[in-house]
Amino acid sequence: MIRTIFKNIISDTVLKIVVAIFLLLLIFKPMNIKDIDLDTIMIFFNLMLIISLVKRAKILAYISNSIINHVQTTRQITAYITSSSFVLSMFVTNDVFIITLVPLYILIAKQLNLSIVYPTVLITIAANLGSAFTPIGNPKTFS
């Protein structure tokens, strides 16, 4: 099992591209350890851990079933999740709602055998646009 996981990682095209870009960037600008914000990394790790626990506790399945029962078409599911991403990211950062709503949509998509990529892109775009409307949703400062 570990061997197949390792083979999947090694054969992943996106990973190869990211590593190539990373190595190219190291040539032009050497990395400084101060550039890594460990607090932010730990906050996102904890958020992903909480989402995983919510999924394991079947709370995510309950929410996905209520969404499925509430709408009539698959297009409405995508619109509901995307508009929720847009509106809610105005009040909490866009990263939080991307990390929260994408697993919810993937669970719904697997239940109904729907496409995953296009609605995930829509959720991400909606979260970024929604967070740009308020300073609460996009609290990044530029230095």
Side-chain angles (χ1 to χ4, degrees):
M1 176 162 169
I2 294 175
R3 180 173 272 165
T4 59
I5 292 172
F6 186 70
K7 284 183 183 178
N8 288 341
I9 291 173
I10 295 300
S11 66
D12 188 19
T13 307
V14 175
L15 180 64
K16 289 177 184 176
I17 293 170
V18 169
V19 169
I21 292 171
F22 175 72
L23 293 174
L24 189 68
L25 288 174
L26 279 179
I27 293 170
F28 292 110
K29 184 183 183 291
M31 190 172 77
N32 190 353
I33 196 70
K34 294 177 187 175
D35 294 337
I36 300 172
D37 188 3
L38 290 177
D39 290 336
T40 304
I41 292 171
M42 289 308 297
I43 288 170
F44 283 121
F45 174 77
N46 289 331
L47 179 63
M48 288 187 279
L49 185 65
I50 289 169
I51 295 300
S52 177
L53 292 173
V54 167
K55 184 177 179 181
R56 184 172 284 192
K58 306 284 188 211
I59 296 171
L60 214 56
Y62 175 77
I63 295 170
S64 70
N65 287 334
S66 66
I67 291 172
I68 290 169
N69 293 333
H70 179 45
V71 297
Q72 287 81 26
T73 65
T74 57
R75 184 175 282 180
Q76 286 179 341
I77 291 172
T78 304
Y80 182 77
I81 297 284
T82 304
S83 60
S84 297
S85 175
F86 179 81
V87 172
L88 295 173
S89 67
M90 289 182 189
F91 306 106
V92 182
T93 62
N94 55 353
D95 317 36
V96 170
F97 274 99
I98 292 170
I99 291 173
T100 305
L101 290 178
V102 167
L104 177 65
Y105 178 76
I106 290 173
L107 189 64
I108 292 171
K110 285 183 180 178
Q111 286 178 346
L112 298 177
N113 203 15
L114 302 175
S115 171
I116 293 176
V117 176
Y118 181 67
T120 303
V121 170
L122 289 178
I123 292 167
T124 305
I125 291 170
N128 285 304
L129 288 174
S131 71
F133 274 91
T134 63
I136 299 168
N138 200 4
K140 296 167 184 65
T141 57
F142 299 100
S143 50

